[in-house]
Amino acid sequence: MIKSKFQWQTEAKRQSMDDTLVEQYNLTPLMRTILESKGYTESAQLAQILAASKESMHDPSLMSDMDKAIERIHTAIQNQEKILVYGDYDADGVTSTTIMVKTLQQLGAMVGWYIPNRFTEGYGPSAPAFRNAYDEGVALIITVDNGIQGHAEIEMVQNLGVDVIVTDHHEIGDTLPPAYAIVHPMHTDFEYPFPNLCGAGVALKLAQSLLGDVPNVFWIYAMIGTIADLVSLTDENRYIVKQGLKLLNESPPVSISAILNQAQFNDTVTEETIGFIIGPRLNAVGRLDDASLAAELLMTDDEDEALFLAEQVEHFNVERKEIVQTIVEEAMIMAEAAVEAGEHFLVLAKEDWHEGVLGIVASRIVETFHLPTMILNIDHEQQHAKGSSRSITQVSMFEALSSQQSIISKFGGHHMAAGLTLPIDQVTALRDGLNEWMATHNDTTQLQPIQKVDVTVDVGHITVEQIQSIERLRPFGTDFKRPIIQVNGLTVQQSKGIGQQQAHLKMTFVEQNLQALFWNQGALSSELMPNQHVDVTGELQINEWNGNRTAQMVLTDMKSNELQILDYRSKNKRLPVFEDNQQVCYLIHPNQDKTSPHEYYYGEYIPQQYDKCVMRDLPLTMDDIKLSCHYLNTSQIYLVFQHQHSIYFEGLPQPADFKNCYKALYQKGQTDLQKDGVALSQYINVKPTMLKFILKVFLDLGIIRQKDGIIEIVHSTDKQPITSSRVYQARLQRIEVEKQLLYEEFGTIKSWIENELARNE
């Protein structure tokens, strides 16, 4: 049995699509099933997904305070008032800033921009920065991607006579800040049709109101912010992303070309390129230093300057990766110890952990252990612990931290993530409190992650043509993810570890010779045997190699309900490291001393508590292993059968060998085995080891006696057959054990064990 990492939840088909729409949009069977599972069955919905056009963009004037904001900006430009664009330090923030600054520059405004420092100022409006803007004669501040929670700072600067226009997309609190205007898609006093724009999307809408037609580069920057900020990839966000990707591939701005050049990327840019290459690099600067560098790069039109700035951005990205890797390695060790101690809410804290990357680290820990995780940096100078947390679907991080707010200085967040600060001496209390809260509010036995499956398909429907049709559904992202496909009953043809240290798994299935990759699951190659049946989930893709195009799956999970009997008889195979040794029992030779309560002699009763059984040593007899099989109720059996020496190929002496040995001993009268043993073995033409066995049989039957190394015949009229000797029978049984367990084909042994297990049932 192979246990799945996730609980698989298949999306129920909400309703069927009309056949006329299938023809109208030229949908393949796979496309149709996927769209139906996602709830897209009406013509307007299909048009939005498959043919997003500019008509899907909503009228910017419908957004809150848009007319008021436009009027104030035009007044500032006409009066040559200084305008400050106040941004944020992530990818959405720097793209928002770039769109707004370039819009105002195009209109001839006196505009400057400012991005706060994550470490010295934090997120959102900064009172010192706002006061400094007033001191420098700024008359209008426009926030982008922030401001909706900056009540005190906005009130302060408004009282000084500086107007503030807030453009933001984050959650609105119970009250609104006292700004001159608030441009926000979720404003409750207005009915903007789509509430899920990112900061750059809101900036784009303001730019459209100010300019009418906006430059192509604005679509590109809004697309980057939309993907990087993980907002819903539906409605007008879909058009923004499609249009931005189209324009980027046709004529990339020098800033993005420079980033891609530094990343050594020269292929078609997709949403994945933005999510994994461009977005992380723009974010890296603000995570480690002042994000103004990223904004400067996006704003430049000079190729040389872009190259220079992109080199610095790449440096920050490399440094960010190294810092993350170091902290992840340290945090993993701490997490393993915490899990072993029975903790279900991981609170990991250490000095000198870089606060800018702790959210990334928390996400990595959650991916590995699937437990809510908090990563804190201990800052003795500030006398506080500060960090980020990430949760799982079943646990609300906001509720968990709310339960401990008496010992937390400051926190903010939502169901899946949060940031917080607390006194150093309260870290232990927080860890204990969160684990107590988990025990009270969550069933810790039901924390297995959930994977939503879009559709279950027959392997016969997985073709290059069908997979290619899925590409028509792009771009994929939040609320419209790349479809997860489930395929049941695949037959393993071959599996092996690939990559460095064989960390990844490559599989071939009998059906259609389908290939599959399973990243970071190379260890499973030791648990998969030919002809084993598995169910899998994953994404479909086309593998191109030497001009050939074949269907391939990138797996996200795998399971098998079949009993696994795994062949580890080769000395070159090492047993895997078992995660839970309490679930593994070992069958050992009766001559071996037990060193663990989980070791059992063959034939001994085995409690029904084990998931895995390792048949470590050879049994004495086949009856012993039969009896053990009747006790077993495990999902995996590992056949090792280690032994010191094999006698199978030596076999048993012939009857003539026994007769010749007896005659020689009889004629000699007394035989000194030490002096005459070699000559005796040569005389009867058997190996010394076989001579020893013959003599043991004689001793067992009382045919000879031995004293001080001298052997002599015992004259008796009670004749016994050689085969009646216990020594003889033990060797005979050992030969049978070796024949069946060491030298038979694995398939034969597997069938034999399965039959014995079936008798138990």
Side-chain angles (χ1 to χ4, degrees):
M1 176 183 290
I2 296 177
K3 293 182 179 179
S4 60
K5 296 185 298 180
F6 299 94
Q7 299 177 45
W8 299 0
Q9 290 186 355
T10 302
E11 295 284 358
K13 185 168 69 172
R14 299 165 199 178
Q15 65 182 76
S16 297
M17 188 186 303
D18 193 281
D19 290 341
T20 58
L21 293 177
V22 176
E23 295 179 11
Q24 179 182 344
Y25 288 97
N26 192 26
L27 303 180
T28 66
L30 188 55
M31 288 178 70
R32 176 179 185 166
T33 307
I34 291 169
L35 287 166
E36 287 177 340
S37 74
K38 291 181 178 291
Y40 292 86
T41 57
E42 303 295 329
S43 182
Q45 295 174 317
L46 297 176
Q48 182 195 110
I49 295 299
L50 296 166
S53 63
K54 199 167 187 177
E55 284 67 38
S56 62
M57 294 293 289
H58 303 299
D59 183 352
S61 65
L62 296 175
M63 200 172 292
S64 63
D65 288 348
M66 183 64 80
D67 293 340
K68 189 176 181 181
I70 296 301
E71 181 182 0
R72 180 66 184 87
I73 291 170
H74 280 309
T75 299
I77 294 171
Q78 291 169 3
N79 296 336
Q80 285 294 288
E81 295 175 339
K82 288 184 178 180
I83 303 174
L84 176 71
V85 176
Y86 186 92
D88 187 31
Y89 42 70
D90 65 1
D92 189 21
V94 295
T95 51
S96 305
T97 302
T98 303
I99 291 170
M100 189 55 57
V101 168
K102 284 185 170 289
T103 297
L104 296 172
Q105 286 175 340
Q106 192 167 327
L107 291 170
M110 293 178 60
V111 59
W113 54 275
Y114 183 85
I115 293 179
N117 186 287
R118 175 194 295 263
F119 307 103
T120 59
E121 297 172 280
Y123 170 76
S126 160
F130 275 17
R131 183 173 291 278
N132 186 63
Y134 164 75
D135 292 341
E136 292 184 356
V138 169
L140 175 63
I141 296 174
I142 304 174
T143 71
V144 289
D145 193 32
N146 76 97
I148 199 64
Q149 297 295 337
H151 295 63
E153 296 83 359
I154 290 172
E155 183 178 13
M156 177 271 295
V157 79
Q158 285 274 165
N159 289 338
L160 292 174
V162 179
D163 287 332
V164 178
I165 297 174
V166 170
T167 76
D168 199 358
H169 72 113
H170 292 95
E171 291 289 340
I172 297 175
D174 295 334
T175 59
L176 294 170
Y180 179 86
I182 297 175
V183 181
H184 197 296
M186 289 187 284
H187 198 299
T188 54
D189 294 340
F190 294 78
E191 294 184 359
Y192 189 71
F194 183 61
N196 296 318
L197 291 169
C198 69
V202 176
L204 178 70
K205 306 300 287 191
L206 183 54
Q208 287 179 314
S209 293
L210 288 166
L211 299 175
D213 288 333
V214 297
N216 287 346
V217 72
F218 286 14
W219 293 101
I220 294 172
Y221 291 144
M223 173 270 295
I224 293 172
T226 299
I227 294 173
D229 220 49
L230 302 176
V231 292
S232 178
L233 208 55
T234 57
D235 205 274
E236 62 182 336
N237 278 348
R238 195 160 189 84
Y239 178 76
I240 290 172
V241 170
K242 277 195 168 187
Q243 182 71 355
L245 287 171
K246 174 178 174 289
L247 294 170
L248 176 55
N249 282 294
E250 289 175 354
S251 180
V254 295
S255 56
I256 304 304
S257 291
I259 292 174
L260 294 174
N261 181 60
Q262 286 294 312
Q264 299 181 340
F265 182 88
N266 55 8
D267 204 346
T268 300
V269 176
T270 68
E271 69 273 22
E272 292 177 348
T273 315
I274 306 301
F276 293 104
I277 294 179
I278 294 175
R281 282 164 171 77
L282 293 176
N283 279 324
V285 184
R287 289 187 181 281
L288 303 186
D289 205 320
D290 190 338
S292 297
L293 171 65
E296 288 176 21
L297 170 58
L298 294 180
M299 289 184 198
T300 187
D301 295 318
D302 182 87
E303 289 188 16
D304 291 336
E305 184 181 15
L307 178 60
F308 172 74
L309 294 172
E311 286 177 350
Q312 296 180 62
V313 168
E314 185 67 21
H315 168 78
F316 279 114
N317 187 56
V318 171
E319 184 180 359
R320 187 265 307 170
K321 287 182 179 179
E322 292 173 349
I323 292 172
V324 167
Q325 184 60 32
T326 299
I327 300 177
V328 165
E329 289 174 358
E330 295 174 350
M332 282 290 183
I333 295 172
M334 298 167 68
E336 287 171 0
V339 170
E340 193 171 325
E343 295 181 22
H344 289 93
F345 197 119
L346 304 181
V347 178
L348 313 176
K350 191 175 182 293
E351 291 182 62
D352 299 324
W353 277 354
H354 200 296
E355 293 175 9
V357 301
L358 298 186
I360 299 175
V361 176
S363 295
R364 300 275 183 88
I365 301 299
V366 171
E367 288 172 8
T368 302
F369 297 96
H370 194 71
L371 292 171
T373 300
M374 182 179 296
I375 307 293
L376 298 170
N377 174 54
I378 303 295
D379 188 335
H380 287 289
E381 183 176 338
Q382 299 291 329
Q383 279 299 297
H384 68 214
K386 184 178 181 182
S388 297
S389 56
R390 297 290 184 269
S391 195
I392 57 178
T393 306
Q394 300 95 319
V395 179
S396 169
M397 184 61 69
F398 184 82
E399 288 183 17
L401 294 186
S402 295
S403 73
Q404 308 297 313
Q405 58 186 340
S406 63
I407 59 175
I408 299 175
S409 305
K410 178 182 178 183
F411 84 93
H414 49 82
H415 184 92
M416 295 298 291
L420 74 160
T421 304
L422 75 159
I424 295 174
D425 59 7
Q426 294 297 328
V427 171
T428 300
L430 179 64
R431 179 184 293 112
D432 294 341
L434 289 172
N435 274 280
E436 289 176 9
W437 181 86
M438 279 287 289
T440 304
H441 291 79
N442 292 275
D443 183 354
T444 55
T445 64
Q446 299 295 322
L447 295 182
Q448 187 181 18
I450 294 170
Q451 176 176 263
K452 292 187 176 180
V453 175
D454 290 279
V455 59
T456 300
V457 302
D458 185 273
V459 66
H461 295 154
I462 300 178
T463 64
V464 169
E465 293 71 26
Q466 291 288 330
I467 297 173
Q468 197 165 6
S469 73
I470 297 177
E471 297 302 300
R472 289 177 53 201
L473 302 177
R474 298 182 80 156
F476 299 115
T478 302
D479 293 337
F480 197 81
K481 296 184 182 295
R482 178 178 283 277
I484 297 295
I485 307 297
Q486 179 176 336
V487 188
N488 297 329
L490 291 172
T491 309
V492 176
Q493 185 178 76
Q494 184 184 39
S495 65
K496 62 179 180 179
I498 61 172
Q500 288 188 347
Q501 299 179 335
Q502 297 185 324
H504 311 299
L505 179 68
K506 183 175 183 180
M507 305 175 67
T508 305
F509 299 111
V510 171
E511 294 80 7
Q512 293 190 200
N513 203 34
L514 179 66
Q515 306 264 327
L517 296 173
F518 202 175
W519 304 121
N520 300 312
Q521 297 297 322
L524 281 175
S525 63
S526 63
E527 298 186 24
L528 291 164
M529 293 293 160
N531 299 318
Q532 182 174 345
H533 295 97
V534 296
D535 301 339
V536 300
T537 61
E539 299 175 355
L540 297 176
Q541 65 175 213
I542 297 172
N543 180 38
E544 299 192 27
W545 180 255
N546 286 338
N548 296 318
R549 307 177 83 225
T550 57
Q552 179 173 271
M553 282 192 77
V554 177
L555 303 186
T556 54
D557 206 3
M558 176 167 56
K559 66 181 179 182
S560 173
N561 293 324
E562 290 184 344
L563 165 72
Q564 287 182 281
I565 300 176
L566 306 168
D567 191 0
Y568 276 78
R569 294 175 297 167
S570 169
K571 292 182 179 179
N572 296 325
K573 282 191 174 182
R574 293 186 177 181
L575 286 171
V577 177
F578 299 116
E579 293 182 1
D580 186 355
N581 286 319
Q582 304 297 312
Q583 294 295 311
V584 186
C585 68
Y586 296 83
L587 296 183
I588 66 174
H589 193 281
N591 293 340
Q592 300 288 337
D593 292 331
K594 293 182 180 180
T595 59
S596 161
H598 307 297
E599 292 180 342
Y600 300 87
Y601 296 127
Y602 283 97
E604 190 175 6
Y605 173 74
I606 304 169
Q608 303 291 303
Q609 68 188 60
Y610 296 104
D611 184 54
K612 307 177 194 298
C613 174
V614 177
M615 294 185 174
R616 193 189 73 186
D617 302 329
L618 272 177
L620 281 177
T621 70
M622 293 303 295
D623 286 340
D624 289 342
I625 192 173
K626 279 184 183 180
L627 189 53
S628 291
C629 287
H630 297 170
Y631 291 137
L632 285 177
N633 186 26
T634 58
S635 63
Q636 290 180 325
I637 297 176
Y638 294 80
L639 308 183
V640 181
F641 299 139
Q642 66 184 21
H643 55 284
Q644 295 296 321
H645 176 65
S646 174
I647 64 170
Y648 175 72
F649 294 106
E650 295 177 2
L652 285 164
Q654 297 298 315
D657 296 330
F658 286 98
K659 290 180 181 179
N660 292 335
C661 183
Y662 182 84
K663 286 179 181 179
L665 294 173
Y666 186 86
Q667 292 170 358
K668 184 78 171 172
Q670 287 188 335
T671 302
D672 187 333
L673 191 59
Q674 186 171 359
K675 292 180 180 179
D676 303 326
V678 174
L680 179 59
S681 67
Q682 292 174 346
Y683 176 74
I684 64 174
N685 196 26
V686 296
K687 293 181 179 179
T689 54
M690 197 63 75
L691 174 62
K692 289 181 180 179
F693 171 70
I694 292 171
L695 295 175
K696 286 181 179 179
V697 172
F698 286 169
L699 282 168
D700 181 50
L701 293 174
I703 294 172
I704 63 173
R705 55 173 167 258
Q706 180 180 356
K707 184 177 182 182
D708 299 329
I710 304 299
I711 294 174
E712 59 182 26
I713 294 292
V714 175
H715 297 282
S716 173
T717 57
D718 184 16
K719 292 185 178 180
Q720 302 177 64
I722 293 297
T723 55
S724 67
S725 164
R726 290 174 301 172
V727 174
Y728 186 95
Q729 287 298 318
R731 186 177 181 92
L732 187 64
Q733 290 173 332
R734 171 59 183 257
I735 289 172
E736 182 65 18
V737 165
E738 291 187 13
K739 175 186 176 183
Q740 292 202 41
L741 302 182
L742 293 183
Y743 301 111
E744 278 285 10
E745 292 290 334
F746 172 68
T748 303
I749 302 173
K750 181 173 179 288
S751 297
W752 183 87
I753 292 177
E754 287 173 340
N755 288 336
E756 294 302 323
L757 291 169
R759 292 184 184 182
N760 180 31
E761 294 175 2

